[in-house]
Structures are given as C-alpha cells and as structure tokens.
Coordinates of all heavy atoms in Angstrom, one line a residue:
M1 N 87.0 14.9 79.5 CA 85.8 15.6 79.9 C 86.2 16.7 80.9 O 86.9 16.5 81.8 CB 84.8 14.7 80.6 CG 83.5 15.4 81.0 SD 82.1 14.4 80.9 CE 81.8 13.9 82.5
V2 N 85.7 17.9 80.6 CA 86.0 19.1 81.4 C 85.2 19.0 82.7 O 84.0 18.7 82.7 CB 85.6 20.4 80.7 CG1 85.9 21.6 81.5 CG2 86.3 20.4 79.3
T3 N 85.8 19.3 83.8 CA 85.1 19.2 85.1 C 85.0 20.6 85.7 O 85.7 21.6 85.4 CB 85.9 18.4 86.1 OG1 87.1 19.0 86.4 CG2 86.1 17.0 85.6
K4 N 84.0 20.8 86.7 CA 83.9 22.0 87.4 C 85.1 22.4 88.1 O 85.5 23.5 88.2 CB 82.6 22.0 88.3 CG 81.3 22.0 87.5 CD 80.2 22.2 88.5 CE 78.9 22.3 87.7 NZ 77.7 22.6 88.5
E5 N 85.7 21.4 88.7 CA 87.0 21.6 89.5 C 88.0 22.2 88.6 O 88.7 23.2 89.0 CB 87.5 20.3 90.1 CG 88.7 20.5 90.9 CD 89.2 19.2 91.5 OE1 88.7 18.1 91.2 OE2 90.2 19.2 92.3
Q6 N 88.2 21.7 87.4 CA 89.2 22.3 86.5 C 88.9 23.8 86.2 O 89.8 24.6 86.2 CB 89.2 21.6 85.1 CG 89.8 20.2 85.2 CD 89.7 19.5 83.9 OE1 88.5 19.2 83.4 NE2 90.8 19.2 83.2
V7 N 87.6 24.1 86.0 CA 87.2 25.5 85.7 C 87.4 26.4 86.9 O 88.0 27.5 86.8 CB 85.7 25.5 85.2 CG1 85.3 27.0 85.0 CG2 85.6 24.7 83.9
Y8 N 87.0 25.9 88.1 CA 87.3 26.7 89.3 C 88.7 26.9 89.5 O 89.2 28.0 89.9 CB 86.6 26.1 90.5 CG 85.1 26.4 90.6 CD1 84.2 25.3 90.5 CD2 84.6 27.6 90.9 CE1 82.8 25.6 90.6 CE2 83.3 27.9 91.0 CZ 82.4 26.8 90.9 OH 81.0 27.1 91.0
N9 N 89.5 25.9 89.3 CA 91.0 26.0 89.4 C 91.6 27.1 88.5 O 92.4 27.9 88.8 CB 91.7 24.7 89.2 CG 91.5 23.7 90.4 OD1 91.1 24.1 91.5 ND2 91.7 22.5 90.2
A10 N 91.0 27.1 87.2 CA 91.5 28.0 86.3 C 91.1 29.5 86.7 O 91.9 30.4 86.6 CB 90.9 27.7 84.9
L11 N 89.9 29.6 87.2 CA 89.4 30.9 87.6 C 90.1 31.5 88.8 O 90.1 32.7 89.0 CB 87.9 30.9 87.9 CG 87.0 30.7 86.6 CD1 85.6 30.4 87.0 CD2 87.1 31.9 85.7
E12 N 90.8 30.6 89.6 CA 91.6 31.1 90.7 C 92.8 31.8 90.2 O 93.5 32.5 91.0 CB 92.0 29.9 91.5 CG 90.9 29.3 92.4 CD 91.3 28.1 93.2 OE1 92.3 27.5 92.9 OE2 90.4 27.7 94.0
N13 N 93.1 31.8 88.9 CA 94.2 32.5 88.3 C 93.8 33.9 87.9 O 94.7 34.7 87.5 CB 94.8 31.8 87.1 CG 95.5 30.5 87.6 OD1 96.4 30.5 88.4 ND2 95.0 29.4 87.1
V14 N 92.6 34.3 88.0 CA 92.1 35.6 87.6 C 91.9 36.4 88.9 O 91.1 36.1 89.8 CB 90.8 35.6 86.9 CG1 90.3 37.0 86.5 CG2 90.9 34.7 85.6
I15 N 92.8 37.4 89.1 CA 92.8 38.2 90.3 C 92.1 39.6 90.1 O 92.3 40.2 89.1 CB 94.3 38.5 90.6 CG1 95.1 37.3 90.7 CG2 94.4 39.4 91.9 CD1 94.7 36.3 91.8
D16 N 91.3 39.9 91.1 CA 90.7 41.2 91.1 C 91.8 42.2 91.5 O 92.3 42.1 92.6 CB 89.5 41.3 92.1 CG 88.8 42.6 92.2 OD1 89.5 43.6 92.4 OD2 87.6 42.7 91.9
P17 N 92.2 43.1 90.6 CA 93.4 43.9 90.9 C 93.1 44.9 92.0 O 94.1 45.3 92.6 CB 93.6 44.7 89.5 CG 92.4 44.5 88.7 CD 91.6 43.3 89.2
E18 N 91.9 45.3 92.3 CA 91.7 46.3 93.4 C 91.8 45.6 94.7 O 92.3 46.2 95.7 CB 90.3 46.9 93.2 CG 90.2 47.8 92.1 CD 88.8 48.5 92.0 OE1 87.8 47.7 92.0 OE2 88.8 49.7 91.9
I19 N 91.4 44.3 94.8 CA 91.3 43.7 96.1 C 92.5 42.7 96.3 O 93.0 42.5 97.4 CB 90.0 42.9 96.3 CG1 88.9 44.0 96.3 CG2 90.0 42.2 97.6 CD1 87.5 43.4 96.3
G20 N 93.0 42.2 95.1 CA 94.2 41.3 95.2 C 93.9 39.9 95.5 O 94.7 39.1 95.8
L21 N 92.6 39.5 95.4 CA 92.2 38.1 95.5 C 91.5 37.6 94.2 O 91.1 38.4 93.4 CB 91.1 38.0 96.7 CG 91.6 38.4 98.1 CD1 90.5 38.4 99.0 CD2 92.7 37.4 98.5
N22 N 91.5 36.3 94.1 CA 90.9 35.7 92.9 C 89.4 35.7 92.9 O 88.8 35.9 93.9 CB 91.5 34.4 92.5 CG 91.1 33.3 93.5 OD1 89.9 33.0 93.6 ND2 92.1 32.7 94.1
L23 N 88.8 35.5 91.7 CA 87.4 35.5 91.5 C 86.7 34.4 92.4 O 85.6 34.7 92.9 CB 87.0 35.2 90.0 CG 87.6 36.1 89.0 CD1 87.1 35.7 87.6 CD2 87.2 37.6 89.3
V24 N 87.3 33.3 92.6 CA 86.7 32.2 93.4 C 86.7 32.6 94.8 O 85.7 32.5 95.5 CB 87.4 30.9 93.1 CG1 86.8 29.8 94.0 CG2 87.3 30.5 91.6
E25 N 87.8 33.1 95.3 CA 87.9 33.5 96.8 C 86.9 34.6 97.1 O 86.4 34.6 98.2 CB 89.3 34.0 97.1 CG 90.4 33.0 97.1 CD 91.8 33.7 97.3 OE1 92.2 34.6 96.6 OE2 92.5 33.2 98.3
L26 N 86.7 35.5 96.2 CA 85.8 36.6 96.4 C 84.3 36.2 96.3 O 83.5 37.0 96.7 CB 86.1 37.7 95.4 CG 87.4 38.5 95.7 CD1 87.7 39.4 94.5 CD2 87.2 39.3 97.0
G27 N 84.1 35.0 95.8 CA 82.7 34.6 95.7 C 82.0 35.2 94.5 O 80.8 35.4 94.5
L28 N 82.7 35.5 93.5 CA 82.2 36.2 92.3 C 81.5 35.3 91.3 O 80.8 35.7 90.4 CB 83.2 37.1 91.6 CG 83.8 38.2 92.5 CD1 84.9 38.9 91.8 CD2 82.7 39.2 92.9
I29 N 81.8 34.0 91.4 CA 81.3 33.0 90.5 C 79.9 32.5 91.1 O 79.9 31.9 92.1 CB 82.2 31.8 90.3 CG1 83.6 32.3 89.9 CG2 81.6 30.8 89.3 CD1 83.7 33.2 88.7
Y30 N 78.9 32.8 90.4 CA 77.5 32.5 90.8 C 77.0 31.2 90.3 O 76.3 30.5 90.9 CB 76.5 33.6 90.4 CG 76.6 34.8 91.3 CD1 75.8 35.9 90.9 CD2 77.4 34.9 92.4 CE1 75.8 37.1 91.7 CE2 77.4 36.1 93.2 CZ 76.6 37.2 92.8 OH 76.7 38.3 93.6
E31 N 77.4 30.9 89.0 CA 76.9 29.7 88.4 C 77.9 29.2 87.4 O 78.5 30.0 86.7 CB 75.6 30.0 87.7 CG 74.8 28.8 87.2 CD 73.4 29.2 86.6 OE1 72.7 30.0 87.3 OE2 73.1 28.7 85.6
L32 N 78.0 27.8 87.3 CA 79.0 27.2 86.4 C 78.3 26.0 85.8 O 78.0 25.1 86.6 CB 80.3 26.9 87.1 CG 81.3 26.0 86.4 CD1 81.7 26.7 85.1 CD2 82.5 25.8 87.3
N33 N 78.2 25.9 84.5 CA 77.6 24.8 83.8 C 78.5 24.3 82.7 O 79.1 25.2 82.0 CB 76.2 25.1 83.3 CG 75.2 25.4 84.4 OD1 75.0 24.5 85.2 ND2 74.7 26.6 84.4
I34 N 78.6 23.0 82.5 CA 79.4 22.4 81.5 C 78.6 21.4 80.7 O 78.0 20.5 81.4 CB 80.7 21.7 82.0 CG1 81.5 22.7 82.9 CG2 81.5 21.2 80.9 CD1 82.6 22.1 83.7
N35 N 78.5 21.6 79.4 CA 77.8 20.6 78.6 C 78.6 20.3 77.3 O 78.7 21.2 76.5 CB 76.4 21.2 78.2 CG 75.5 20.3 77.5 OD1 75.8 19.0 77.5 ND2 74.4 20.8 76.9
N36 N 79.1 19.1 77.2 CA 79.9 18.7 76.1 C 81.0 19.6 75.7 O 81.2 20.0 74.6 CB 78.9 18.5 74.8 CG 78.0 17.3 75.0 OD1 78.4 16.3 75.6 ND2 76.8 17.4 74.5
G37 N 81.7 20.1 76.7 CA 82.8 20.9 76.5 C 82.5 22.4 76.4 O 83.4 23.3 76.2
E38 N 81.2 22.7 76.4 CA 80.8 24.1 76.4 C 80.6 24.6 77.8 O 79.9 24.0 78.6 CB 79.5 24.3 75.7 CG 79.5 23.9 74.2 CD 80.2 24.8 73.3 OE1 80.3 26.1 73.7 OE2 80.8 24.4 72.3
V39 N 81.4 25.7 78.2 CA 81.4 26.1 79.6 C 80.6 27.5 79.6 O 80.9 28.4 78.9 CB 82.8 26.3 80.1 CG1 82.8 26.8 81.5 CG2 83.6 25.0 80.0
D40 N 79.6 27.5 80.5 CA 78.9 28.7 80.7 C 79.0 29.2 82.2 O 78.8 28.4 83.1 CB 77.4 28.5 80.5 CG 77.0 28.4 79.0 OD1 77.5 29.2 78.2 OD2 76.4 27.4 78.7
V41 N 79.4 30.4 82.4 CA 79.7 30.9 83.7 C 78.8 32.2 83.9 O 78.8 33.1 83.0 CB 81.2 31.3 83.9 CG1 81.4 31.9 85.3 CG2 82.0 30.1 83.7
K42 N 78.2 32.3 85.0 CA 77.6 33.5 85.5 C 78.4 34.0 86.6 O 78.6 33.3 87.6 CB 76.1 33.3 85.9 CG 75.2 33.1 84.7 CD 73.8 33.1 85.1 CE 72.7 32.8 84.1 NZ 73.0 32.6 82.8
M43 N 78.9 35.2 86.5 CA 79.7 35.8 87.6 C 79.3 37.3 87.8 O 78.5 37.8 87.0 CB 81.2 35.7 87.2 CG 81.6 36.5 86.0 SD 83.4 36.6 85.8 CE 83.8 37.9 87.0
T44 N 79.8 37.8 88.8 CA 79.5 39.3 89.1 C 80.8 39.9 89.4 O 81.9 39.3 89.3 CB 78.5 39.4 90.2 OG1 78.0 40.8 90.2 CG2 79.1 39.1 91.6
L45 N 80.8 41.2 89.7 CA 82.0 41.9 90.1 C 81.6 42.6 91.5 O 80.4 42.6 91.9 CB 82.3 43.0 89.1 CG 82.7 42.4 87.7 CD1 82.8 43.5 86.7 CD2 83.9 41.6 87.8
T46 N 82.6 43.1 92.1 CA 82.4 43.7 93.5 C 81.5 44.9 93.4 O 80.9 45.3 94.4 CB 83.7 43.9 94.2 OG1 84.5 44.8 93.5 CG2 84.4 42.6 94.5
A47 N 81.5 45.6 92.3 CA 80.8 46.9 92.2 C 80.4 47.1 90.7 O 81.1 46.8 89.8 CB 81.6 48.1 92.6
R48 N 79.1 47.6 90.6 CA 78.7 48.0 89.2 C 79.6 49.2 88.7 O 80.1 50.0 89.5 CB 77.3 48.6 89.3 CG 76.2 47.5 89.3 CD 74.9 48.1 89.2 NE 73.8 47.2 89.4 CZ 73.1 46.7 88.4 NH1 73.2 47.1 87.2 NH2 72.2 45.8 88.7
G49 N 79.8 49.2 87.5 CA 80.6 50.3 86.9 C 82.0 50.1 87.1 O 82.8 51.0 86.9
C50 N 82.4 48.9 87.5 CA 83.9 48.6 87.6 C 84.6 48.9 86.3 O 84.2 48.4 85.3 CB 84.0 47.1 88.0 SG 85.7 46.6 88.0
P51 N 85.6 49.7 86.3 CA 86.3 50.1 85.1 C 87.0 48.9 84.5 O 87.4 48.9 83.3 CB 87.3 51.2 85.5 CG 87.5 51.0 87.0 CD 86.2 50.4 87.5
L52 N 87.2 47.8 85.2 CA 87.9 46.6 84.7 C 87.0 45.5 84.3 O 87.4 44.4 84.0 CB 88.9 46.2 85.8 CG 90.0 47.2 86.1 CD1 90.8 46.7 87.3 CD2 90.9 47.5 85.0
H53 N 85.7 45.8 84.2 CA 84.7 44.9 83.9 C 85.1 44.0 82.7 O 85.1 42.8 82.7 CB 83.4 45.6 83.6 CG 82.3 44.8 83.0 ND1 81.0 45.0 83.4 CD2 82.2 43.9 82.1 CE1 80.2 44.2 82.8 NE2 80.9 43.5 81.9
V54 N 85.4 44.6 81.6 CA 85.7 43.9 80.3 C 87.0 43.1 80.4 O 87.0 42.0 80.0 CB 85.8 44.9 79.1 CG1 86.2 44.2 77.9 CG2 84.4 45.6 78.9
S55 N 88.0 43.6 81.1 CA 89.2 42.9 81.2 C 89.1 41.7 82.1 O 89.7 40.7 81.8 CB 90.4 43.8 81.6 OG 90.2 44.4 82.8
I56 N 88.4 41.8 83.2 CA 88.2 40.7 84.1 C 87.4 39.6 83.4 O 87.7 38.4 83.5 CB 87.6 41.2 85.4 CG1 88.5 42.0 86.2 CG2 87.1 40.0 86.3 CD1 88.0 42.7 87.5
Q57 N 86.3 40.0 82.7 CA 85.5 39.0 82.0 C 86.4 38.3 80.9 O 86.3 37.1 80.8 CB 84.3 39.8 81.4 CG 83.4 38.8 80.6 CD 82.2 39.6 80.1 OE1 82.2 40.8 80.0 NE2 81.2 38.9 79.6
A58 N 87.2 39.1 80.2 CA 88.0 38.5 79.2 C 89.0 37.5 79.8 O 89.3 36.5 79.2 CB 88.7 39.6 78.3
A59 N 89.6 37.9 80.9 CA 90.6 37.1 81.6 C 90.0 35.7 82.0 O 90.6 34.7 81.9 CB 91.2 37.8 82.8
A60 N 88.7 35.8 82.5 CA 88.0 34.6 82.9 C 87.8 33.7 81.7 O 88.1 32.5 81.8 CB 86.7 34.9 83.6
E61 N 87.4 34.3 80.6 CA 87.2 33.5 79.4 C 88.5 32.8 78.9 O 88.5 31.7 78.6 CB 86.6 34.4 78.3 CG 85.2 34.8 78.6 CD 84.6 35.8 77.6 OE1 85.4 36.3 76.7 OE2 83.4 36.1 77.7
N62 N 89.5 33.6 78.9 CA 90.8 33.1 78.4 C 91.4 32.0 79.3 O 91.9 31.0 78.7 CB 91.8 34.3 78.4 CG 91.5 35.2 77.2 OD1 90.9 34.9 76.3 ND2 92.0 36.5 77.4
V63 N 91.3 32.0 80.6 CA 91.8 30.9 81.4 C 91.0 29.6 81.2 O 91.5 28.5 81.2 CB 92.0 31.3 82.9 CG1 93.0 32.4 83.1 CG2 90.7 31.5 83.6
I64 N 89.7 29.8 81.0 CA 88.8 28.6 80.8 C 89.2 28.0 79.4 O 89.2 26.8 79.3 CB 87.4 29.0 80.9 CG1 87.0 29.4 82.3 CG2 86.5 27.8 80.5 CD1 85.7 30.1 82.5
K65 N 89.4 28.8 78.4 CA 89.7 28.3 77.1 C 90.9 27.5 77.0 O 91.1 26.6 76.2 CB 89.8 29.5 76.1 CG 88.6 30.2 75.7 CD 88.8 31.3 74.8 CE 87.5 32.1 74.4 NZ 87.8 33.3 73.6
M66 N 91.8 27.7 78.0 CA 93.1 27.0 78.0 C 93.0 25.5 78.6 O 93.9 24.8 78.5 CB 94.1 27.8 78.8 CG 94.5 29.1 78.1 SD 95.8 30.1 78.8 CE 96.1 29.6 80.4
I67 N 91.8 25.2 79.1 CA 91.6 23.9 79.7 C 91.4 22.9 78.5 O 90.5 23.1 77.6 CB 90.4 23.9 80.6 CG1 90.6 24.8 81.8 CG2 90.1 22.4 81.1 CD1 89.3 25.1 82.6
D68 N 92.1 21.8 78.5 CA 91.9 20.7 77.5 C 90.5 20.3 77.5 O 89.9 20.0 78.6 CB 92.8 19.5 77.8 CG 94.3 19.8 77.4 OD1 94.5 20.7 76.6 OD2 95.1 19.1 77.9
G69 N 89.9 20.2 76.3 CA 88.5 19.7 76.2 C 87.5 20.8 76.1 O 86.3 20.5 75.7
V70 N 87.8 22.0 76.4 CA 86.9 23.1 76.3 C 86.7 23.5 74.8 O 87.6 23.7 74.1 CB 87.4 24.3 77.1 CG1 86.5 25.6 76.8 CG2 87.3 24.0 78.6
K71 N 85.4 23.4 74.4 CA 85.1 23.8 73.0 C 84.6 25.2 72.8 O 84.7 25.8 71.8 CB 84.0 22.8 72.5 CG 84.5 21.3 72.5 CD 83.4 20.4 72.1 CE 83.8 19.0 72.1 NZ 82.7 18.1 71.9
G72 N 84.0 25.7 73.9 CA 83.5 27.1 73.9 C 83.3 27.6 75.3 O 83.1 26.8 76.2
V73 N 83.3 28.9 75.4 CA 83.2 29.6 76.7 C 82.2 30.8 76.6 O 82.4 31.5 75.6 CB 84.5 30.0 77.2 CG1 84.4 30.8 78.6 CG2 85.5 28.9 77.4
R74 N 81.3 30.9 77.5 CA 80.5 32.1 77.7 C 80.6 32.5 79.1 O 80.2 31.8 80.0 CB 79.1 31.9 77.2 CG 78.3 33.2 77.1 CD 77.0 33.0 76.5 NE 76.1 32.7 77.6 CZ 74.9 32.1 77.4 NH1 74.5 31.7 76.2 NH2 74.1 31.9 78.5
V75 N 81.0 33.7 79.3 CA 81.1 34.3 80.7 C 80.1 35.5 80.7 O 80.4 36.5 80.0 CB 82.5 34.7 81.1 CG1 82.4 35.4 82.5 CG2 83.4 33.5 81.2
D76 N 79.1 35.4 81.4 CA 78.1 36.5 81.5 C 78.3 37.2 82.9 O 78.3 36.5 83.9 CB 76.7 36.0 81.4 CG 76.3 35.5 80.0 OD1 76.7 36.1 79.1 OD2 75.6 34.5 80.0
V77 N 78.4 38.5 82.9 CA 78.4 39.3 84.1 C 77.0 39.7 84.5 O 76.3 40.3 83.7 CB 79.4 40.5 84.0 CG1 79.3 41.3 85.3 CG2 80.8 40.1 83.7
V78 N 76.6 39.3 85.7 CA 75.2 39.6 86.1 C 75.3 40.4 87.4 O 76.4 40.4 88.1 CB 74.5 38.3 86.4 CG1 74.3 37.5 85.1 CG2 75.1 37.4 87.5
W79 N 74.2 41.1 87.7 CA 74.3 42.0 88.9 C 73.3 41.5 90.0 O 73.1 42.2 91.0 CB 74.0 43.4 88.5 CG 75.0 43.8 87.5 CD1 74.9 44.0 86.2 CD2 76.4 44.1 87.8 NE1 76.1 44.4 85.6 CE2 77.1 44.4 86.5 CE3 77.2 44.1 88.9 CZ2 78.4 44.7 86.5 CZ3 78.6 44.4 88.8 CH2 79.1 44.7 87.6
E80 N 72.5 40.5 89.7 CA 71.6 40.0 90.7 C 71.9 38.5 91.0 O 72.1 37.7 90.0 CB 70.1 40.1 90.2 CG 69.7 41.5 90.0 CD 69.6 42.3 91.3 OE1 69.3 41.7 92.3 OE2 69.8 43.5 91.2
P81 N 72.0 38.1 92.2 CA 72.0 38.9 93.4 C 73.2 39.8 93.5 O 74.3 39.4 93.0 CB 71.9 37.9 94.5 CG 72.5 36.7 94.0 CD 72.3 36.7 92.5
Q82 N 73.1 40.9 94.1 CA 74.2 41.8 94.3 C 75.2 41.2 95.2 O 74.9 40.5 96.2 CB 73.7 43.1 95.0 CG 74.8 44.1 95.2 CD 74.2 45.4 95.7 OE1 73.0 45.6 95.8 NE2 75.1 46.3 96.1
W83 N 76.5 41.3 94.8 CA 77.6 40.8 95.6 C 77.7 41.5 96.9 O 77.5 42.7 97.0 CB 78.9 40.9 94.8 CG 80.1 40.4 95.5 CD1 80.5 39.1 95.6 CD2 81.0 41.1 96.4 NE1 81.6 39.0 96.4 CE2 81.9 40.2 96.9 CE3 81.1 42.4 96.8 CZ2 83.0 40.6 97.7 CZ3 82.1 42.8 97.6 CH2 83.0 41.9 98.1
T84 N 78.1 40.8 98.0 CA 78.4 41.4 99.3 C 79.7 40.7 99.8 O 80.0 39.6 99.4 CB 77.3 41.2 100.3 OG1 77.2 39.8 100.6 CG2 75.9 41.7 99.8
P85 N 80.4 41.3 100.7 CA 81.6 40.7 101.3 C 81.3 39.4 102.0 O 82.2 38.6 102.3 CB 82.0 41.8 102.3 CG 81.5 43.1 101.7 CD 80.2 42.7 101.1
D86 N 80.0 39.1 102.3 CA 79.7 37.8 102.9 C 80.0 36.6 102.0 O 80.2 35.5 102.5 CB 78.2 37.7 103.2 CG 77.7 38.7 104.3 OD1 78.6 39.1 105.1 OD2 76.6 39.1 104.3
R87 N 80.2 36.9 100.7 CA 80.5 35.8 99.8 C 82.0 35.5 99.7 O 82.4 34.5 99.1 CB 80.0 36.2 98.4 CG 78.5 36.3 98.3 CD 78.0 36.4 96.9 NE 78.5 35.4 96.0 CZ 77.9 34.2 95.8 NH1 76.8 33.9 96.4 NH2 78.4 33.4 94.9
I88 N 82.8 36.2 100.4 CA 84.2 36.0 100.4 C 84.5 34.7 101.2 O 83.9 34.5 102.3 CB 85.0 37.2 101.0 CG1 84.8 38.4 100.2 CG2 86.5 36.9 101.1 CD1 85.4 39.7 100.8
S89 N 85.4 33.9 100.7 CA 85.7 32.6 101.4 C 86.3 32.9 102.8 O 87.0 33.9 103.0 CB 86.6 31.7 100.6 OG 87.9 32.3 100.6
P90 N 86.2 32.0 103.7 CA 86.8 32.2 105.1 C 88.3 32.4 105.0 O 88.8 33.2 105.7 CB 86.4 30.9 105.8 CG 85.2 30.4 105.2 CD 85.3 30.8 103.7
E91 N 88.9 31.6 104.1 CA 90.4 31.8 103.9 C 90.8 33.2 103.4 O 91.7 33.8 103.9 CB 90.9 30.7 103.0 CG 90.7 29.3 103.4 CD 89.3 28.7 103.1 OE1 88.6 29.4 102.3 OE2 89.0 27.6 103.6
A92 N 90.0 33.7 102.5 CA 90.3 35.0 101.9 C 90.0 36.1 102.9 O 90.7 37.1 103.0 CB 89.4 35.2 100.6
K93 N 89.0 35.9 103.8 CA 88.7 36.9 104.8 C 89.9 37.0 105.8 O 90.2 38.1 106.2 CB 87.4 36.5 105.6 CG 86.2 36.7 104.8 CD 84.9 36.4 105.6 CE 83.7 36.7 104.8 NZ 82.5 36.3 105.5
L94 N 90.5 35.8 106.1 CA 91.7 35.9 106.9 C 92.8 36.7 106.2 O 93.5 37.5 106.9 CB 92.2 34.5 107.2 CG 91.4 33.7 108.2 CD1 91.9 32.2 108.3 CD2 91.4 34.3 109.5
K95 N 93.0 36.5 104.9 CA 94.0 37.2 104.2 C 93.8 38.7 104.2 O 94.7 39.5 104.2 CB 94.1 36.8 102.7 CG 94.6 35.4 102.5 CD 94.5 35.0 101.0 CE 94.8 33.6 100.7 NZ 94.7 33.3 99.3
L96 N 92.5 39.1 104.2 CA 92.1 40.5 104.3 C 92.0 41.1 105.7 O 91.7 42.2 105.9 CB 90.8 40.7 103.6 CG 90.7 40.4 102.1 CD1 89.3 40.5 101.5 CD2 91.6 41.4 101.3
G97 N 92.3 40.2 106.7 CA 92.2 40.7 108.1 C 90.8 40.8 108.5 O 90.5 41.6 109.5
M98 N 89.9 40.1 107.9 CA 88.4 40.2 108.3 C 88.0 39.0 109.2 O 86.8 39.0 109.5 CB 87.6 40.2 107.0 CG 87.8 41.3 106.1 SD 86.9 41.1 104.5 CE 85.2 41.1 105.0
G99 N 88.8 38.1 109.4 CA 88.4 36.9 110.1 C 89.1 36.6 111.4 O 89.9 37.2 111.9

C-alpha cells in the first residue's frame, strides 16, 4: 500500500531550479490523497507564469510513478491559496539564511 510518507519522500527529489530547494521544503504541496494506489496531488509554484511550470509538474508525476504500488498519478497545479515564503519549512529557511 502506498503511503503519504513515500510520496512526500519522492517529492523531496524534485528541486525548484530557481531556489534550489525541493517542493516539500518550499511548502508547495497543498494536498495529497491516495486511494487504492491512485495518487492525487494539489501543488503550487512560487510564482504564476513560472517558465518551468510544465517540467516541475512532470517531474513530480514521474517520481511518484516510480513508487511501488502506484497505479496512477494526477498532479494539479493550483494558485489558491497563493504561495508565500511563510510556507517554507524552518530547516529550509536556515538553508536560505532566513532563519
């Protein structure tokens, strides 16, 4: 059975190339649901119009697909609520010199 922990661990391998931190550290994952091996993720990006929108979304889908037991993946990019730096994890803030 696929767990949320496995999915979050996989998403830690997707790095935002502009900031150099992963999707989880940046707080870009808004919602994660798993039902019989079907994984649905709602995520955002740090800015609308991000030129890497499609490649980041595809990378998230690809790392999730590699988890044993995953039958399907849907990653939706949403813009509400708007992302803010407040969503960055405390550990990541230290890496960025913000903490």
Side-chain angles (χ1 to χ4, degrees):
M1 179 146 100
V2 181
T3 67
K4 286 187 175 187
E5 181 180 8
Q6 287 174 299
V7 177
Y8 279 114
N9 287 341
L11 290 170
E12 288 177 347
N13 292 302
V14 182
I15 306 297
D16 180 303
E18 290 182 308
I19 300 174
L21 296 174
N22 70 60
L23 302 181
V24 177
E25 289 178 305
L26 286 171
L28 297 176
I29 307 304
Y30 283 176
E31 189 176 316
L32 170 59
N33 295 299
I34 304 167
N35 187 14
N36 291 328
E38 298 288 333
V39 180
D40 289 310
V41 175
K42 285 191 185 355
M43 64 169 284
T44 195
L45 300 172
T46 56
R48 280 187 187 252
C50 172
L52 299 171
H53 171 138
V54 174
S55 62
I56 292 172
Q57 182 178 11
E61 290 172 354
N62 289 335
V63 297
I64 295 168
K65 285 178 185 175
M66 294 183 346
I67 299 169
D68 284 339
V70 169
K71 297 176 185 173
V73 177
R74 188 173 89 202
V75 175
D76 292 319
V77 175
V78 298
W79 301 107
E80 295 295 327
Q82 182 176 351
W83 179 86
T84 69
D86 293 337
R87 294 191 53 90
I88 300 173
S89 73
E91 298 83 10
K93 285 181 179 178
L94 288 174
K95 291 178 187 177
L96 294 172
M98 297 172 62

